[in-house]
Amino acid sequence: MRLQYTYPVALGLGLALAGTATAQETWRFGLEEIEGSVQYEYAAEFAELVNEKTDGDVNVQLFPYGELGGLTDIYDAVQAGAIQLAFGSGFLGGTVPESQLFSLNFILPQDEWVTTRKLNSDTFIESDAWQNSFRDRGLVPLAIVPEGFQVWTFNEPIRTPEDMEGVQIRVMDNLLLRETYRAYGAQPTSIEYGELYSALQQGQAEGNIQPVFAHEEMGFYEVQDYMVFANQAQFIATVMANQDWYEGLPDTYREVIDETTDELVRYIHDVQQELNNERLDTITSESDIEIIRLSNEERAAFEELAQPVRQVFVDEVGERGQELLDLIDQLFEEDRM
Ligand code: 6CS
């Protein structure tokens, strides 16, 4: 894949072009998704704002999915300081086990804006539990980006755990997702994002879980027949920085980052909703895929099976896992339906 997004500046070469703003430094930002995705839209706006706020001194260079290798290569790169910023989500469990919190189903409210706002409030993102989960691994969490509801697709109409029995469903690579889908009766299998289209096409996986925009932009919907909205989970990603780099920045640059990530909370919520709505229209107009929306009663059957997986999270992650779960329960106590 070619580099998708750069400012026209003399990158790190020390060249001063007469009459042209020259970036003094470049921050590299690794994305788990391709151009046009929610993560790309976030990072592109971040890049523009940072460049403006630093009067052109900082150039943020985006590396969309595929340019740095696979998903875990992105996390290795930000931990090692080869890149300064990155998104982390479902595959991050091997690096930051506590991040699997958001792989649990039925822990967040149905209101996506409430979710976005509260996860980015000091109560959650600045909590010791969330900060130290990342800082213990040389990372700093800067923002949380909900990207829309996780939507199932299958080759068969699936409405109940009985329907899901034995279905080979692809999950991102983390224990909590595998446990959740085992609890539903499915046979979860983890496959790298870039290999998923052909795995679905060739029948190595019979089901998939993505926000709508990703089903569309990766073409997954073309090789599936049913799209099932169960509203069991939202896709949650964290923007992270290399800790040594972040802490070593001049205060003014750290303030620019903090101000920018604050500004982007509302921005990316609006963008993700728009992208997911538009892409659902594209999917329904360009394919015969059948849309199924589970009733509250149908959802409840999955919710009941998901409950014991909370304990698996605590057993896996320890005391901090319990702390994070308690925090989420308190934060959204009034918002759950
Ligand atoms: O399913 C995946 O692997 C990827 N899906 C999305 C929407 N973002 C990143 C994630 O790794």
Side-chain angles (χ1 to χ4, degrees), residues 241-283:
N242 174 281
Q243 187 181 10
D244 289 343
W245 169 79
Y246 181 74
E247 287 173 354
L249 281 173
D251 289 348
T252 48
Y253 280 180
R254 245 195 332 273
E255 279 157 23
V256 164
I257 292 177
D258 295 347
E259 192 186 287
T260 305
T261 50
D262 281 352
E263 280 174 40
L264 289 178
V265 172
R266 181 78 220 190
Y267 172 83
I268 201 59
H269 167 76
D270 294 345
V271 167
Q272 75 83 355
Q273 288 212 316
E274 209 177 294
L275 273 185
N276 281 307
N277 288 337
E278 277 172 19
R279 305 273 176 94
L280 184 59
D281 289 345
T282 309
I283 290 173

Side-chain angles (χ1 to χ4, degrees), residues 76-143:
D76 291 348
V78 69
Q79 269 188 315
I83 61 173
Q84 289 71 40
L85 298 156
F87 271 98
S89 61
F91 274 67
L92 190 65
T95 308
V96 181
E98 294 87 340
S99 69
Q100 294 175 96
L101 173 68
F102 295 122
S103 293
L104 289 170
N105 284 192
F106 300 100
I107 64 162
L108 295 174
Q110 295 294 302
D111 187 319
E112 294 178 273
W113 171 238
V114 168
T115 307
T116 304
R117 182 171 57 75
K118 289 196 174 181
L119 289 181
N120 284 287
S121 69
D122 287 354
T123 313
F124 187 79
I125 194 166
E126 295 301 336
S127 68
D128 286 348
W130 193 249
Q131 285 289 321
N132 291 337
S133 301
F134 287 78
R135 286 173 185 264
D136 284 357
R137 282 95 191 183
L139 301 165
V140 179
L142 301 177

Side-chain angles (χ1 to χ4, degrees), residues 32-33 39 71 75 89-91 147 170 172 191 193 196 209-211 213-214 235:
E32 299 173 298
E33 297 165 1
Q39 292 188 6
L71 290 161
Y75 319 141
S89 61
F91 274 67
E147 301 188 21
R170 182 272 183 176
M172 293 182 287
I191 297 168
Y193 197 38
L196 184 49
I209 314 159
Q210 300 288 339
F213 80 86
F235 185 100

